[in-house]
Amino acid sequence: MEGIVRVRDIAEYFRLEQITGDDTSLDRIITVPEINRLGLEFIGYFVSTVFARVVLLGNKEIGYIADKMSDDQVRELFNIIMSEETPCIIIARGHECPPILKEMGDQKNFPILSTKQETTRVITDVVSFLDEHLAKTISLHGTFMNIYGKGILLTGKSGSGKSEIALELIRKGHQLIADDRVDVKRVHNSIIGEAPFLLKGMLEIRGIGIIDAMQMFGVNSILRSHTLDYVIDLEKWDQDTEYVRAGIEDKEYKTILDVDIPMITLPMKEGRSIAVIIESAVTNFALIEEGYDSAKAFDERIRNHILAQKKEG
């Protein structure tokens, strides 16, 4: 599903001052995570204009309106800009709203907002906010944990013990983000995961029922959201399956919202301390990110040993 953002949301989040329009004008919906800075529109060229964007007026735009445009020209331009599709206008750097714009905004019940922030800062902040909140969201089955600062999604068949492993990891000081269902969205080239509202902080332990991790282990045992860094797929040990041994085999990935996330398959059987193995896997992932691959180092050690033996021979 797609997120919904209204002008009210950015006005409240960024503490923007409302100059024109009543409270209902803030209910306009924003559908595009981009900013429009007027350029060719000033000379009447609207061919590539995306009216669904938030319009931002900075030093150049306010200066051009004041120095180069008559009241009639301003009216003609902003009669087009203040369309039903345009969400709002934001005036940056604390500039006064041109009187003709204030008059038009009140007449049309169109929201013109103001901030003292610099123009570039407004662009960065508003676009980032909209990019995150308008991102497409999907739900995944699994348990999402913060382990050593990495977002780890534990997947596997229902009843494979993901929640019990999560409980053990929480007791070892790691953080729960979501159990059973994880809502994920793509922001830029990263996948962000969080728990649905009803499931936040909750774990389902078979034989016990639903437990509240925060109440049992403290507020630091849970986390609202995190970037998804790795996927660990848990499956029952099958003696006929060839599992990764040395780690030099081709890497696995799970594609989520067109982003490839590194993945490993972890076989489970009695006697294996899965929580400890998961911690080790995450540490190994982190080492690889930092440029050290244990499997490659081991392979290189073997190659050097063979070469040394040949020389001695």
Side-chain angles (χ1 to χ4, degrees):
M1 61 181 180
E2 303 285 349
I4 296 177
V5 177
R6 301 182 187 276
V7 173
R8 183 185 310 279
D9 298 322
I10 61 171
E12 292 177 353
Y13 187 83
F14 295 108
R15 299 181 181 179
L16 304 177
E17 178 186 354
Q18 185 175 3
I19 299 173
T20 64
D22 61 19
D23 188 66
T24 63
S25 71
L26 299 179
D27 289 329
R28 286 174 172 251
I29 295 176
I30 304 174
T31 59
V32 178
E34 298 168 358
I35 293 288
N36 183 19
R37 296 195 66 183
L38 303 182
L40 293 176
E41 291 86 353
F42 280 122
I43 59 172
Y45 188 81
F46 295 93
V47 172
S48 59
T49 300
V50 180
F51 287 97
R53 294 173 177 168
V54 171
V55 175
L56 180 63
L57 304 180
N59 282 340
K60 292 185 294 184
E61 294 83 3
I62 292 296
Y64 190 89
I65 291 171
D67 299 336
K68 301 293 184 180
M69 301 184 73
S70 66
D71 286 353
D72 288 342
Q73 288 175 321
V74 174
R75 285 184 185 279
E76 183 179 355
L77 170 63
F78 282 93
N79 265 326
I80 299 173
I81 295 299
M82 292 181 182
S83 68
E84 287 299 320
E85 194 177 359
T86 304
C88 66
I89 294 173
I90 299 176
I91 299 176
R93 287 185 170 270
H95 285 292
E96 291 289 330
C97 179
I100 191 71
L101 284 190
K102 187 176 188 312
E103 178 187 324
M104 294 179 67
D106 286 330
Q107 287 177 350
K108 293 173 174 287
N109 195 26
F110 181 92
I112 299 178
L113 311 170
S114 176
T115 177
K116 294 182 179 180
Q117 291 286 341
E118 294 181 357
T119 309
T120 53
R121 173 54 59 187
V122 177
I123 294 173
T124 301
D125 290 348
V126 172
V127 169
S128 295
F129 179 90
L130 295 177
D131 211 14
E132 178 177 351
H133 288 78
L134 291 175
K136 179 181 179 181
T137 302
I138 63 171
S139 294
L140 302 175
H141 176 67
T143 298
F144 194 30
M145 301 283 301
N146 173 29
I147 303 174
Y148 297 139
K150 302 295 183 182
I152 308 301
L153 178 64
L154 304 178
T155 62
K157 293 182 179 179
S158 181
S160 61
K162 298 183 294 296
S163 299
E164 289 79 1
I165 294 168
L167 181 61
E168 187 175 351
L169 288 166
I170 293 171
R171 290 179 61 88
K172 292 165 74 66
H174 305 293
Q175 294 175 300
L176 173 71
I177 302 165
D179 182 47
D180 190 52
R181 175 184 147 190
V182 187
D183 289 344
V184 300
K185 56 189 173 184
R186 177 174 177 171
V187 179
H188 304 302
N189 288 321
S190 297
I191 302 298
I192 309 296
E194 63 181 7
F197 174 75
L198 293 177
L199 300 180
K200 287 182 179 178
M202 299 297 178
L203 271 172
E204 180 186 359
I205 306 298
R206 295 175 186 269
I208 298 178
I210 303 296
I211 65 172
D212 188 325
M214 186 179 73
Q215 295 297 324
M216 292 187 69
F217 302 105
V219 68
N220 289 328
S221 65
I222 65 170
L223 194 63
R224 186 183 71 83
S225 65
H226 202 287
T227 303
L228 173 53
D229 297 301
Y230 309 112
V231 176
I232 297 179
D233 187 45
L234 306 173
E235 68 173 41
K236 186 176 180 180
W237 184 286
D238 183 354
Q239 62 180 5
D240 296 324
T241 299
E242 188 68 29
Y243 296 107
V244 171
R245 297 288 297 270
I248 58 176
E249 297 86 349
D250 291 338
K251 306 299 183 185
E252 288 185 274
Y253 294 90
K254 184 177 180 67
T255 302
I256 301 173
L257 294 174
D258 297 324
V259 177
D260 290 335
I261 307 296
M263 183 181 89
I264 62 169
T265 300
L266 191 61
M268 299 187 299
K269 69 175 180 178
E270 294 181 3
R272 300 191 91 193
S273 179
I274 301 301
V276 172
I277 295 173
I278 288 174
E279 287 180 320
S280 301
V282 174
T283 301
N284 192 52
F285 272 134
L287 284 171
I288 292 173
E289 274 193 337
E290 293 299 320
Y292 179 80
D293 191 325
S294 302
K296 290 182 179 179
F298 177 66
D299 185 55
E300 185 66 23
R301 184 183 298 179
I302 292 175
R303 290 174 182 272
N304 291 336
H305 178 69
I306 293 173
L307 289 174
Q309 284 187 325
K310 286 182 176 180
K311 288 181 180 179
E312 290 177 1

